[in-house]
Amino acid sequence: MVRAFGSQWPSRNGTYHRFSNTQDPWGRRSNKPPIWQSRRFWYVTGTVGVGGTVYYQAHIEESPTGRRRFINISRETEVSMGAQSYRQVLAQYGKLIVPSGTPVDRYVQRIAQRVIAATGMDADWEVHVIESPERNAFVLPGGKIFVFSGILHVTESEDGLATVLAHEIAHQYARHTAEQMSRQMLVTLALVVASLFVDPSVLDLGRATGKLLLDLPNSRDCESEADRLGLMFMAAACYDPRQAVGFWERMRAEEKVAPPQFLSTHPSSGSRIDNIRQWLPEAMDKRNTASCPDPLLTDSFFSRLGNSKVSGWA
């Protein structure tokens, strides 16, 4: 019978024994003490620990909303990785990307450029519409935005689409991709160090626990931050931030089965709606400061006509 590698082996006489401090997995005797009993090990571990703490503290910064976070990836590296992902996405969805200059492309481009201008960001922005029933949108580092046409039926209006686009642009503005990659590097390093002290099988539980306690809450923090920043960006672009509530209510209605929030990378739609309602006074102040016209006056016949055409597309 072939046995998997592990920390427990039978002895030659069939009697079960655990490893002793002086016996390796193959039953050979060794006079060397375990590595963690040597002074050199603790000198190295202490040096790495102190150096790691200093390195961590040196890369702590504040997010646009004042949240403290760790980022050790440069903007240049972030953009380079985004360019690679951009080529992969184009290769995957190339045949489904709506041609430039079509009505739906111009519609999405116009709203995106208006929100981008309100952020004051300087990037090589590209906006693509993917013909797909999927209700989704995402942004890649470097300003590459992809909108699936299926979400246009949920947005229903320019304000609704501005909610989606402003949220994605906010991810780019706040460098959330770099933040999440940096956190993953920390978790990986911690698991490597932990493997020196514990059975590797225990690390599987550590990965699951780390995802539940660190990765998922951090992802939800980034999503909530993008919601808040996006609300301010769409308001500064003279879209009506109050319409964000309606969009997320429609998204909640579209959800067939939503996982519990603590198991999701995104806040629940209900939590998002509650948060947005709390931020609306600030967003409306932002809109008023931008000297925007009354939303009722901008909801013109031509705007409604344009939205109905888009809603009937795809």
Side-chain angles (χ1 to χ4, degrees), residues 104-230:
V104 70
D105 177 73
R106 292 199 305 269
Y107 173 74
V108 175
Q109 293 280 355
R110 173 169 54 82
I111 298 173
Q113 294 304 324
R114 189 165 142 186
V115 175
I116 290 169
T119 69
M121 292 181 62
D122 183 17
D124 184 18
W125 293 96
E126 296 282 351
V127 184
H128 299 283
V129 180
I130 299 174
E131 186 175 357
S132 168
E134 186 175 347
R135 300 180 298 276
N136 196 16
F138 63 90
V139 64
L140 298 175
K144 316 305 181 187
I145 301 174
F146 290 86
V147 178
F148 291 84
S149 61
I151 203 169
L152 299 179
H153 300 289
V154 186
T155 60
E156 290 189 354
S157 67
E158 293 190 10
D159 294 311
L161 182 55
T163 301
V164 174
L165 292 171
H167 174 90
E168 298 305 327
I169 291 167
H171 278 306
Q172 168 71 15
Y173 183 88
R175 300 190 64 207
H176 285 157
T177 300
E179 178 181 348
Q180 292 179 346
M181 288 191 297
S182 299
R183 178 173 290 272
Q184 289 173 0
M185 290 174 60
L186 277 182
V187 172
T188 300
L189 178 60
L191 290 174
V192 170
V193 173
S195 67
L196 300 174
F197 297 91
V198 300
D199 190 310
S201 63
V202 178
L203 298 183
D204 292 335
L205 177 61
R207 290 188 184 93
T209 303
K211 184 177 181 63
L212 187 64
L213 299 181
L214 297 176
D215 289 352
L216 295 183
N218 178 254
S219 297
R220 291 195 294 270
D221 286 343
C222 290
E223 288 296 324
S224 294
E225 189 169 60
D227 285 341
R228 183 176 183 178
L229 291 172

Side-chain angles (χ1 to χ4, degrees), residues 75 77-83 85-86 139-144 172 177-178 181:
R75 292 183 182 272
T77 300
E78 183 182 8
V79 171
S80 176
M81 297 177 69
S85 298
Y86 181 55
V139 64
L140 298 175
K144 316 305 181 187
Q172 168 71 15
T177 300
M181 288 191 297

Side-chain angles (χ1 to χ4, degrees), residues 264-313:
S264 175
T265 58
H266 289 59
S268 66
S269 295
S271 296
R272 277 183 145 147
I273 293 169
D274 292 340
N275 289 335
I276 288 172
R277 285 183 171 136
Q278 292 178 9
W279 300 324
L280 274 179
E282 180 185 359
M284 291 305 296
D285 287 342
K286 175 82 67 177
R287 192 179 190 282
N288 294 333
T289 302
S291 300
C292 301
D294 190 307
L296 295 177
L297 298 178
T298 59
D299 187 19
S300 66
F301 168 79
F302 296 104
S303 177
R304 291 195 301 270
L305 179 61
N307 290 335
S308 64
K309 287 183 178 180
V310 172
S311 297
W313 184 86

